[in-house]
Amino acid sequence: SLRPWTEKENFLKENYLEYRLQNNILATLDCSYAGAEGVREAFAKAQEVLTDYRMVEEKKLVDKLFNDIHFSRGLATYGLNEIIDLLKRNVVATILITDDTNLRKIDITCRRCQHVQTEILDRTKVIPRTQELLSQPCPSCKSMDLESTERDIVDYLDLIAGQTGAKVEVITGATEYGAMLSSIGKVGAFLRYNPNQ
């Protein structure tokens, strides 16, 4: 179009879009080109808008978490082990975790009796601890027929969350709000209800 500003502004002002779509418009972008070049330019500019939008969303989530931890009578918590337990009990609604969490979950499974030993460790400790556990007999049946598996902690939380309908929100660790979340162990959660009542 020769009048891109006028056309797009008129399109938005005249409410051609269904109201739910209209309410989801984050920004309008000016492009210098038409065709494929214009689409590439729009995608490049949209990255900036989406990054800014996500930062605002992350700020709101972390602010709400800290507020709820202090004032909501048990509807928010932090601490990885507690959150995993509450998640398995279907108490957790949403988990917040930083993207720089270097934790891995390892499982050592006995092939004979299916006994599982589980530990959550920093990435740097996974190999030596796995080798140590594989060199010891199964605590249940004393078999040495063991196998190990490991998973990133975010993937593990996402797997359990998917089974209970909880959401996982990954927060950028390099931001101010990521640092706030890091100060309480890099993970927090909003709860569906207070499990202590």
Side-chain angles (χ1 to χ4, degrees):
S1 170
L2 297 175
R3 303 181 315 259
W5 184 88
T6 305
E7 296 298 329
K8 77 177 173 225
E9 294 301 322
N10 285 342
F11 180 78
L12 293 176
K13 285 179 184 173
E14 295 298 322
N15 292 320
Y16 288 110
L17 292 174
E18 198 259 351
Y19 77 95
R20 287 173 293 186
L21 292 174
Q22 187 84 21
N23 292 338
N24 286 326
I25 295 175
L26 300 177
T28 56
L29 303 171
D30 293 322
C31 295
S32 305
Y33 302 98
E37 285 298 316
V39 171
R40 279 194 279 279
E41 183 183 3
F43 273 118
K45 289 182 176 181
Q47 291 299 317
E48 297 170 20
V49 172
L50 293 174
T51 299
D52 292 344
Y53 178 75
R54 179 59 191 169
M55 298 299 250
V56 170
E57 289 298 303
E58 289 181 9
K59 174 189 182 302
K60 288 179 184 174
L61 286 167
V62 174
D63 279 344
K64 181 172 176 10
L65 178 72
F66 275 79
N67 184 67
D68 286 3
I69 286 170
H70 294 295
F71 303 112
S72 73
R73 299 189 180 131
L75 292 179
T77 190
Y78 58 96
L80 183 60
N81 291 330
E82 179 180 0
I83 289 170
I84 289 172
D85 177 58
L86 292 172
L87 188 58
K88 289 178 180 177
R89 292 168 37 202
N90 199 17
V91 178
V92 174
T94 304
I95 300 168
L96 306 185
I97 188 163
T98 63
D99 64 357
D100 58 357
T101 304
N102 286 319
L103 296 176
R104 307 283 291 177
K105 175 184 176 279
I106 60 169
D107 291 315
I108 307 298
T109 305
C110 176
R111 289 188 181 129
R112 183 189 291 174
C113 73
Q114 302 306 307
H115 179 269
V116 180
Q117 301 173 76
T118 297
E119 293 189 15
I120 295 173
L121 305 164
D122 188 86
R123 188 181 305 272
T124 59
K125 298 177 182 173
V126 167
I127 293 174
R129 182 61 179 153
T130 300
Q131 291 172 343
E132 180 183 346
L133 290 170
L134 288 173
S135 69
Q136 299 170 0
C138 169
S140 179
C141 72
K142 307 302 181 207
S143 170
M144 291 299 293
D145 190 11
L146 307 172
E147 68 179 347
S148 69
T149 56
E150 72 173 86
R151 183 186 299 264
D152 182 80
I153 196 65
V154 177
D155 293 339
Y156 174 62
L157 291 173
D158 195 45
L159 177 69
I160 305 174
Q163 296 167 352
T164 63
K167 290 185 353 185
V168 177
E169 294 279 357
V170 179
I171 305 297
T172 308
T175 64
E176 175 188 351
Y177 294 94
M180 285 174 64
L181 189 55
S182 292
S183 74
I184 58 171
K186 298 188 175 190
V187 63
F190 298 108
L191 307 180
R192 300 180 200 279
Y193 58 90
N194 184 338
N196 299 316
Q197 289 183 342

